[in-house]
Amino acid sequence: VYADHARQLVVSDPLARELYASVGCALENMRVAAAYEGFRADIEFVPADGTGAAAKVTFQRAERVDTDAYHAIDTRHTNRKPFIGQ
């Protein structure tokens, strides 16, 4: 899994912290989806080497796991609207 530095918002995220947080979210969605399909996703984070590589994922057959998290994946989205408190 690679971080796409072309999508980095350099003004608001100069150290790419949020970029890599989004990679982590994608990895978690991958783990949840893999479990739903009957696989275990083993994630190995890799050190920064300038290529953008963030993690190596390997899959192994496992018991299928159906969770609410899987069914919520396609409904998640970013809310860019201002927060209005109560």
Side-chain angles (χ1 to χ4, degrees):
V1 177
Y2 290 82
D4 184 357
H5 285 274
R7 298 178 59 102
Q8 181 181 347
L9 303 174
V10 293
V11 173
S12 61
D13 187 23
L15 301 177
R17 183 173 183 262
E18 298 299 322
L19 176 67
Y20 281 95
S22 67
V23 170
C25 293
L27 286 166
E28 182 61 20
N29 283 343
M30 189 182 302
R31 284 184 53 199
V32 169
Y36 180 81
E37 295 295 337
F39 291 91
R40 185 182 79 220
D42 294 321
I43 299 170
E44 177 186 342
F45 294 97
V46 297
D49 62 1
T51 66
K56 177 182 176 183
V57 183
T58 54
F59 299 94
Q60 294 184 7
R61 281 273 176 207
E63 185 175 329
R64 186 173 184 265
V65 178
D66 188 2
T67 64
D68 290 340
Y70 173 77
H71 299 285
I73 288 174
D74 65 346
T75 63
R76 295 177 183 154
H77 64 279
T78 299
N79 180 356
R80 297 191 187 277
K81 296 179 182 176
F83 175 76
I84 300 173
Q86 294 182 7

